[in-house]
Amino acid sequence: MKAITLNELAELACKYGLELADIQAVYEVEAAGKGFLNNGHPKILFERHWFSKFTNRPYDRTSPDISSTVPGGYKGGLDEWDRFNRAQELNRDAAIRATSWGVGQVMGEHYKKLGFKTPQDFLNANFQGEKEQFNIMLKFISQNSIIYNALKRRDWKTFAKYYNGPDYAKNKYDTKLAAAHSKFSKLIA
């Protein structure tokens, strides 16, 4: 449950060719300031529609709260771990892949492209600390030229649209990112 430090944020900014204020803004807005719950488990969001897809739908009828073609059923916080644990009893790899993890809420589905051999390796990395979680997020961002270049340009609308999806404006992710960046830029100057 190791929180990320300012020095670690600066290391990651350098590693990915970004300004410190850029990644501080992303960290504050996207991670809501932390990647772990009070019990020491990473923040997660279990996606039942992805679990349904990854398992070819055999649990849709018997467990629609954790396997359905329709997104939803979210409980938040520790209750997401209850949903995840039920799903992983049915199919552990599919449950890991169908879950968004840590500060960046990166889906386990991307484990291979992020350099992990197995979904379990991806899960284990998310338990290591916020620095590793944020590194996973930044690696994911750096592999998508639209998102990465939008971040480098501080084009918050494009970044939010492609990172958070088309409903980004409802949650004002773009304006929150711009405000956070402005705040952190003033602290550095």
Side-chain angles (χ1 to χ4, degrees), residues 73-166:
Y74 307 114
K75 305 284 185 184
L78 287 173
D79 292 332
E80 288 300 314
W81 273 95
D82 292 337
R83 297 174 71 222
F84 170 80
N85 286 330
R86 288 186 49 226
Q88 65 98 24
E89 287 174 9
L90 300 172
N91 186 316
R92 185 160 177 81
D93 282 356
I96 295 168
R97 291 173 57 215
T99 301
S100 299
W101 295 89
V103 296
Q105 291 296 287
V106 175
M107 290 278 295
E109 167 61 4
H110 304 294
Y111 75 94
K112 277 186 188 173
K113 103 177 189 180
L114 294 169
F116 296 97
K117 290 182 181 176
T118 67
Q120 184 64 48
D121 291 340
F122 176 83
L123 179 148
N124 293 345
N126 276 282
F127 270 90
Q128 289 178 9
E130 288 182 357
K131 180 183 179 186
E132 183 57 27
Q133 290 178 1
F134 202 48
N135 183 53
I136 289 168
M137 178 187 187
L138 291 171
K139 189 172 193 177
F140 177 79
I141 288 169
S142 73
Q143 291 176 351
N144 182 311
S145 61
I146 293 171
I147 299 171
Y148 180 73
N149 290 329
L151 177 56
K152 282 193 75 83
R153 290 190 315 271
R154 297 178 191 104
D155 175 355
W156 301 118
K157 283 186 180 189
T158 301
F159 177 84
K161 177 181 175 183
Y162 286 93
Y163 194 79
N164 300 107

